[in-house]
């Protein structure tokens, strides 16, 4: 009898994942599977946990029935229709339904290869590869061991993120202890009965404080608390996960988990990633040394002026503050003034306009939409030329208790062909934590939050523009070290004068950003470039180290790399990795991909858009067709070669960062 791995892969992981989600007790989101397809607003958010439990059982039974049918076929009866297409449509049903059942936790044997037609090769190859990577070619005992371990990994990963999402720690400070922070920040804080301020560890509270509060003791207290979130419980979970993943890799015949996950990426193996990060480190090292020397001089001067004791070193709680000081000293960027020109509604209006013009799209808000919270909005995206609806997206932009604490895009329904041959309507949700409007002041964004908004919305466009045959290749389902390329490329628009003018005006009188402030902001892009990128090297190295060993002391590994590479010690008693959600959220062994893909994104931007016009709709729609619509159905390197007309090179990346000035081409 024919046996296809995907069936076992689905049910070794998905059922406990769904059950964990349901047992959280607060889930009210699901999808009406009977009304999938192109029906407007087919996603429902008003179901009870019992409803979702029933739908989960239905989904499992539907998909299992397909795999049982395929598994019962005799080899002489196998065909494209009863096997590959049946599996593809089952996976579409599974993907469409699972995304929204899972989303609430955030707010073949090879003998069949010779039978099928070449045009189905991509999907078939993927099935075979997935089969091997799940151990279908191994004994039943080993398969069961892998299945049990995978279930445990899934459950622990959910628990890790659940702990972070439910963390509601806050600290209390007096106004004096918050010296240096703007009135707009203080007005957004809750207060105690005695007039002191409650500061949470959520991004809109933490990062502005760390960058602007001149009281070092306040920063030290905040940094220690932030990097101690869920420390005890999540450290234990993470270190167990490292062991479990190493066990799975060993059972499958890989030397380490890193090599297992990298096999299907552009990088291919841990050795290539190590070489990549080492090369970056050597390029960045002298820049980082120069920047640390300058920061230490700033700290010494400020300690003398304010009467603080100078300890002769840069501490973890010093780094964001003095990096912000560098921007002010070298580039004179007044961020307290700048934020007044980025009200969220204005940024959204400008962002929408830029994306619509560039990609040939039109966005319309869907009125009276079913949403999971009153602050959430649903939009329909249309092709401007044809008027055809191409997808829908939700925006959930403000923090609330229990919500996912970062910014991310979640695909809820894939944009691929259904059983009737017609394209299914893709749906995505962007989740962020931008400051709420308070006390007569609208939600105001820091420039780096505007950049985050552009980045995550780029992922939304990747999901919505997808036009693939199979759900496995839809939207952002590309190589992990390519998935950030489209979004990182679109970040460049927030560093150009014309787009910045389109998405900004003063929240009180509507006046534009003064030219001198705008010029200083754009020039500041190269500020702290050495230290910022060295931190990315640290995180990439930590990730690789943790997933190249069968066990690890996670706090010790982070402290070691932080001191050796960044030159700044981790705060004793903390463990940043206990809140490093990438390690359990799909980037395990792959965090390097942020730097890796940024090389490609800069090449695309500077050698097509910058040369031919950053608002050139011809280039924008070619980008939509070649990169966004293709999804993962074409290898990332082949997409790059098609769009660039050559292989990618590193020049644009290093020149943008101010690290090299030579024009020599460094082809990858």
């Amino acid at each position: 009898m024919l046996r296809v791995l995907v069936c076992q892969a689905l049910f070794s992981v998905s059922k406990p994942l769904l059950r964990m989600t349901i047992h959280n007790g607060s889930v009210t989101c699901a999808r009406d599977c009977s009304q999938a397809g192109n029906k407007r607003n087919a996603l429902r958010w008003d179901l009870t946990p019992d409803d979702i439990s029933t739908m989960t059982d239905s989904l499992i039974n539907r998909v299992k029935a397909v795999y049982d049918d395929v598994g019962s076929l005799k080899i002489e009866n196998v065909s494209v229709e009863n096997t590959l297409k049946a599996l593809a449509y089952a996976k579409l049903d599974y993907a469409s339904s699972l995304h929204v059942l899972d989303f609430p936790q955030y707010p073949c044997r090879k003998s069949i290869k010779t039978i099928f037609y070449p045009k189905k090769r991509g999907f078939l190859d993927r099935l075979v590869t997935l089969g091997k990577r799940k151990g279908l070619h191994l004994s039943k005992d080993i398969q069961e061991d892998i299945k049990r371990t995978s279930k445990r990994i899934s459950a622990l990963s959910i628990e890790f993120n659940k702990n972070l999402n439910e963390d509601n720690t806050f600290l209390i400070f007096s106004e004096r202890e918050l010296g240096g922070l703007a009135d707009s920040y203080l007005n957004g804080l809750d207060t105690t009965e005695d007039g002191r301020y409650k500061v949470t560890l959520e991004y809109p509270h933490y990062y502005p404080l760390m960058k602007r509060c001149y009281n070092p003791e306040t920063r030290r207290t905040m940094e220690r608390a932030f990097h101690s979130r869920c420390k005890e419980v999540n450290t234990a979970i993470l270190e167990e996960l490292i062991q479990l993943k190493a066990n799975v890799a060993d059972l499958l015949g890989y030397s380490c988990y890193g090599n297992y996950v990298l096999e299907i990426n552009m990088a291919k193996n841990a050795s290539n990633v190590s070489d990549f990060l080492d090369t970056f480190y050597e390029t960045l090292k002298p820049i980082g040394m120069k920047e640390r020397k300058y920061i230490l001089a700033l700290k010494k001067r400020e300690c003398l002026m304010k009467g603080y004791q100078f300890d002769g070193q840069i501490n973890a709680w010093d780094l964001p503050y003095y990096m912000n000081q560098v921007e002010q000293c070298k580039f004179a960027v007044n961020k307290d003034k700048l934020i007044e020109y980025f009200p969220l509604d204005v940024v959204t209006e400008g962002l929408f306009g830029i994306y619509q013009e560039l990609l040939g799209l039109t966005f319309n808000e869907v009125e009276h939409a079913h949403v999971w919270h009153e602050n959430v909005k649903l939009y329909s995206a249309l092709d401007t030329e044809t008027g055809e609806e191409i997808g829908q997206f939700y925006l959930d932009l403000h923090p609330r208790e229990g919500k996912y604490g970062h910014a991310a895009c979640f695909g809820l329904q894939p944009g691929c062909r259904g059983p009737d041959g017609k394209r299914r309507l893709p749906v995505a949700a962007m989740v962020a934590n931008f400051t709420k409007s308070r006390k007569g002041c609208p939600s105001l964004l820091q420039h780096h939050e505007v950049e985050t908004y552009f980045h995550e919305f780029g992922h939304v466009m990747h999901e919505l523009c997808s036009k693939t045959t199979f759900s496995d290749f839809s939207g952002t389902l590309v190589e992990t070290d390519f998935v950030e390329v489209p979004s990182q490329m679109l970040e460049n628009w927030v560093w150009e004068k014309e787009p910045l003018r389109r998405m900004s005006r003063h929240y009180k009188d509507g006046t534009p950003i003064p030219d001198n402030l705008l010029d200083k902001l754009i020039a500041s892009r190269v500020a702290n470039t050495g230290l910022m990128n060295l931190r990315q090297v640290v995180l990439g190295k930590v990730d690789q180290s943790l997933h190249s060993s069968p066990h690890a002391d996670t706090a010790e590994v982070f402290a070691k790399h932080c001191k050796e590479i960044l030159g700044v010690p981790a705060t004793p008693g903390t463990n940043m990795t206990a809140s490093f959600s990438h390690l359990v959220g799909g980037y395990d062994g792959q965090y390097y991909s942020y730097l890796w893909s940024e090389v490609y994104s800069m090449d695309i931007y500077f050698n097509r858009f910058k040369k031919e016009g950053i608002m050139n709709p011809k280039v924008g729609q070619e980008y939509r067709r070649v990169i966004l619509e293709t999804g993962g159905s074409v290898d990332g390197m082949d997409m790059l070669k098609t769009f660039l007309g050559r292989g990618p090179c590193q020049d644009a990346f290093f020149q943008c960062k101010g690290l090299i000035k030579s024009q020599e081409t460094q082809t990858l």
Side-chain angles (χ1 to χ4, degrees):
M1 274 202 302
L2 204 58
R3 272 293 181 246
V4 182
L5 163 72
V6 184
C7 179
Q8 296 184 14
L10 286 173
F11 296 105
S12 68
V13 177
S14 60
K15 189 164 183 175
L17 186 150
L18 294 176
R19 291 295 174 218
M20 288 286 292
T21 302
I22 291 165
H23 288 164
N24 284 344
S26 60
V27 178
T28 57
C29 154
R31 179 179 180 279
D32 188 344
C33 300
S34 66
Q35 299 187 35
N38 290 334
K39 181 177 178 180
R40 292 177 60 82
N41 198 22
L43 299 177
R44 295 176 56 194
W45 308 101
D46 56 351
L47 301 180
T48 67
D50 286 341
D51 292 331
I52 296 176
S53 181
T54 300
M55 292 177 69
T56 299
D57 289 335
S58 175
L59 170 62
I60 291 172
N61 291 334
R62 287 198 310 275
V63 180
K64 186 175 184 299
V66 174
Y67 286 107
D68 286 345
D69 288 344
V70 171
S72 67
L73 290 171
K74 294 182 179 179
I75 194 69
E76 61 269 20
N77 295 330
V78 170
S79 69
V80 170
E81 295 294 329
N82 65 20
T83 302
L84 275 187
K85 283 191 175 181
L87 291 172
Y89 299 146
K91 287 170 74 65
L92 169 58
D93 183 15
Y94 175 79
S96 300
S97 304
L98 175 64
H99 285 314
V100 264
L101 292 170
D102 176 42
F103 176 61
Q105 70 176 301
Y106 304 102
C108 85
R109 296 202 182 196
K110 291 183 291 180
S111 60
I112 68 171
K113 287 200 298 185
T114 59
I115 301 173
F116 300 115
Y117 308 124
K119 67 179 181 180
K120 306 297 181 185
R121 179 69 65 189
F123 181 60
L124 175 58
D125 287 347
R126 184 176 180 85
L127 290 179
V128 172
T129 298
L130 289 174
K132 288 182 177 180
R133 290 173 60 79
K134 292 297 182 180
L136 255 199
H137 58 299
L138 303 174
S139 69
K140 291 294 182 183
D141 288 344
I142 294 178
Q143 287 184 44
E144 285 301 313
D145 199 356
I146 292 171
K147 184 177 179 179
R148 282 193 300 270
T149 307
S150 296
K151 286 182 179 180
R152 179 64 177 163
I153 290 170
S154 178
L156 286 173
S157 298
I158 292 168
E159 186 179 351
F160 184 100
N161 282 315
K162 179 174 176 286
N163 293 336
L164 287 176
N165 292 341
E166 294 180 354
D167 181 78
N168 57 6
T169 302
F170 65 87
L171 289 79
I172 297 176
F173 297 106
S174 67
E175 185 172 358
R176 181 186 60 81
E177 290 172 315
L178 297 176
L181 290 160
D183 288 343
S184 60
Y185 178 89
L186 297 177
N187 291 338
L189 301 175
D190 291 330
T191 57
T192 62
E193 290 183 359
D194 60 1
R196 291 184 296 167
Y197 293 94
K198 294 181 179 180
V199 183
T200 74
L201 300 180
E202 294 174 349
Y203 284 10
H205 286 185
Y206 178 75
Y207 285 109
L209 184 149
M210 294 304 294
K211 290 180 177 181
R212 294 177 184 82
C213 180
Y214 57 67
N215 188 316
E217 184 60 26
T218 300
R219 297 196 311 269
R220 186 194 68 79
T221 302
M222 280 293 288
E223 191 274 336
R224 176 183 288 275
F226 188 76
H227 287 136
S228 297
R229 288 174 296 159
C230 309
K231 185 181 72 172
E232 302 301 331
V233 62
N234 274 6
T235 295
I237 289 174
L238 181 59
E239 293 180 358
E240 183 179 351
L241 281 170
I242 289 167
Q243 295 181 39
L244 292 173
K245 291 173 182 179
N247 290 343
V248 168
D250 182 61
L251 290 171
L252 291 168
Y254 295 88
S255 59
C256 66
Y257 183 76
N259 279 332
Y260 166 72
V261 295
L262 293 169
E263 179 187 43
I264 56 175
N265 282 7
M266 296 175 77
K268 300 306 179 188
N269 57 62
S271 177
N272 289 338
V273 173
S274 180
D275 290 345
F276 171 78
L277 293 174
D278 287 344
T279 299
F280 262 70
Y281 172 60
E282 291 304 320
T283 305
L284 296 165
K285 184 178 179 180
I287 312 295
M289 291 175 65
K290 185 185 296 185
E291 291 175 355
R292 285 197 302 271
K293 184 177 179 180
Y294 186 83
I295 282 176
L296 202 57
L298 285 179
K299 179 178 177 179
K300 184 176 182 179
R301 185 182 70 178
E302 184 170 61
C303 286
L304 288 172
M305 291 174 59
K306 296 186 181 297
Y308 300 138
Q309 183 178 355
F310 178 61
D311 59 7
Q313 70 174 17
I314 302 170
N315 302 297
W317 59 88
D318 293 326
L319 199 57
Y321 176 74
Y322 287 105
M323 286 172 71
N324 188 59
Q325 292 290 305
V326 168
E327 293 184 36
Q328 292 185 12
C329 292
K330 286 191 172 183
F331 302 95
V333 178
N334 186 336
K335 292 192 175 181
D336 290 332
K337 185 65 176 175
L338 187 64
I339 193 174
E340 296 177 358
Y341 291 91
F342 290 118
L344 177 59
D345 288 347
V346 173
V347 173
T348 300
E349 177 188 340
L351 178 148
F352 277 15
I354 291 167
Y355 272 95
Q356 289 174 114
E357 181 178 332
L358 202 60
L359 301 178
L361 301 174
T362 301
F363 304 147
N364 296 317
E365 184 175 353
V366 177
E367 297 183 0
H368 310 299
H370 293 290
V371 294
W372 54 91
H373 189 272
E374 60 184 3
N375 291 336
V376 178
K377 294 183 178 180
L378 174 65
Y379 295 86
S380 172
L382 311 177
D383 181 279
T384 302
E385 183 178 348
T386 66
E388 177 188 2
E389 184 175 32
I390 69 158
Q392 296 182 347
F393 62 91
Y394 295 88
L395 293 184
D396 183 355
L397 302 180
H398 299 295
R400 57 183 175 271
E401 187 173 345
K403 180 182 172 182
Y404 180 74
H406 306 277
C409 168
F410 296 88
L412 303 179
Q413 183 164 295
C416 59
R417 292 182 189 171
D420 57 2
K422 296 180 180 178
R423 177 177 178 266
R424 293 296 179 97
L425 191 72
V427 182
M430 179 185 161
V431 173
N433 288 274
F434 300 139
T435 306
K436 296 179 182 178
S437 57
R438 291 280 299 263
K439 298 178 181 177
C441 181
S443 173
L444 299 175
L445 303 189
Q446 297 287 346
H447 179 258
H448 73 85
E449 292 179 306
V450 177
E451 187 174 46
T452 296
Y453 198 168
F454 250 75
H455 177 99
E456 296 303 338
F457 199 78
H459 286 310
V460 172
M461 292 297 97
H462 203 174
E463 293 284 357
L464 264 62
C465 291
S466 174
K467 289 185 177 180
T468 61
T469 301
F470 301 109
S471 62
D472 272 29
F473 303 125
S474 177
T476 57
L477 294 178
V478 298
E479 298 103 319
T480 301
D481 46 9
F482 187 80
V483 72
E484 297 297 334
V485 169
S487 288
Q488 287 178 331
M489 195 279 294
L490 288 157
E491 289 177 18
N492 287 285
W493 272 255
V494 307
W495 293 102
E496 296 283 355
K497 186 169 286 189
E498 179 189 350
L500 282 169
R501 287 221 178 278
R502 292 179 61 168
M503 64 179 113
S504 64
R505 58 179 177 267
H506 199 278
Y507 78 96
K508 288 183 178 178
D509 56 19
T511 54
I513 301 178
D515 282 337
N516 65 333
L517 183 56
L518 195 56
D519 291 340
K520 289 172 182 176
L521 170 64
I522 293 170
S524 72
R525 187 174 194 180
V526 298
N528 304 302
T529 189
L531 290 174
M532 286 194 297
N533 284 284
L534 280 172
R535 177 166 170 77
Q536 289 297 93
V537 173
V538 168
L539 297 178
K541 282 283 192 180
V542 167
D543 177 38
Q544 288 296 302
S545 176
L546 296 180
H547 293 106
S548 297
S549 305
H551 51 79
D553 181 329
T554 53
E556 182 181 319
V557 169
F558 178 76
K560 172 179 178 291
H561 286 87
C562 205
K563 180 63 176 176
E564 291 179 356
I565 297 173
L566 192 60
V568 177
T571 302
T574 65
N575 184 8
M576 178 270 179
T577 64
S579 55
F580 190 10
S581 58
H582 289 78
L583 297 177
V584 302
Y587 276 80
D588 42 340
Q590 302 169 92
Y591 191 84
Y592 75 94
S593 61
Y594 282 99
L595 276 178
W596 178 282
S597 59
E598 194 172 0
V599 171
Y600 303 123
S601 71
M602 291 297 183
D603 201 8
I604 290 173
Y605 178 71
F606 282 93
N607 290 291
R608 287 300 310 272
F609 287 97
K610 190 73 171 174
K611 285 184 178 179
E612 301 177 46
I614 61 171
M615 294 306 303
N616 186 330
K618 181 175 180 291
V619 181
Q621 292 193 47
E622 182 184 349
Y623 177 78
R624 173 182 162 186
R625 177 178 56 81
V626 174
I627 305 292
L628 301 183
E629 291 183 357
T630 305
S633 61
V634 175
D635 289 345
M637 186 60 72
D638 292 335
M639 282 189 274
L640 287 169
K641 289 178 178 177
T642 299
F643 189 71
L644 292 169
R646 56 159 173 79
C649 68
Q650 299 180 5
D651 290 6
F653 175 85
F654 288 114
Q655 289 168 12
C656 173
K657 301 295 182 183
L659 299 177
I660 63 168
K661 290 187 171 125
S662 74
Q663 297 299 313
E664 296 177 9
T665 298
Q666 303 177 48
T667 302
L668 298 176

